[in-house]
Amino acid sequence: MNEEPLQKDVLDALDDAGLQEIAGLLGTDAAGAREVVGTTVSEFSGGLQDRAVTDPGEVQQAYAEAQEAPLSGVATLGGMGGLGGMGTGGLMGGLLARISRPVANAVARKTGLPPATVARVIDLVIPVLLSVLTRRAARGTRK
């Protein structure tokens, strides 16, 4: 899989333990988990780009907030308990939560996985993606 920079950063942040957890949810190996995570990140990236067109102020404000108060890591999100815990992720977390359902449906269509399974993977990927995006916003890197 030819990984985009954002996909690579998220996969690196997940590390082997995170990929194994996702592989277990999917009933696959680490390579299968990498593929699903890559597809998920790609769909989130497209969703953010779409949102930037339809509501550029929301995306700009979310990135500005991320630059002002960067997360020190995924642990700062605490008990995700599904997407209900996204409030602790600020505007960017809320934005990711809002586009998570369309992302789950798109990934399910592309992979053939049940949407409910993809949603569980997204619950694990969002805090990592949020952390990566926050670090990138703090550095001024949006790719």
Side-chain angles (χ1 to χ4, degrees):
M1 177 167 110
N2 186 11
E3 297 167 358
E4 294 294 320
L6 181 58
Q7 292 172 356
K8 181 181 179 335
D9 287 352
V10 170
L11 288 165
D12 289 348
L14 272 170
D15 69 36
D16 290 338
L19 283 174
Q20 286 303 321
E21 185 175 355
I22 290 170
L25 281 174
L26 297 172
T28 189
D29 58 10
R34 287 180 74 83
E35 189 69 35
V36 172
V37 169
T39 300
T40 300
V41 171
S42 177
E43 289 297 324
F44 266 115
S45 179
L48 287 172
Q49 289 173 2
D50 291 346
R51 197 63 167 221
V53 170
T54 61
D55 192 352
E58 178 184 30
V59 175
Q60 289 171 347
Q61 186 175 358
Y63 272 108
E65 179 187 85
Q67 288 174 321
E68 291 171 12
L71 296 173
S72 61
V74 175
T76 60
L77 293 173
M80 287 297 290
L83 295 178
M86 286 310 288
T88 58
L91 293 174
M92 184 61 77
L95 179 58
L96 292 175
R98 281 190 291 285
I99 64 174
S100 66
R101 185 175 302 252
V103 167
N105 291 333
V107 172
R109 279 192 305 274
K110 287 183 176 185
T111 63
L113 293 167
T117 301
V118 174
R120 290 175 61 203
V121 170
I122 286 174
D123 282 347
L124 295 173
V125 171
I126 281 181
V128 177
L129 179 59
L130 180 57
S131 179
V132 168
L133 288 172
T134 301
R135 283 193 306 265
R136 286 169 157 236
R139 289 191 319 254
T141 306
R142 296 190 181 174
K143 286 188 179 186

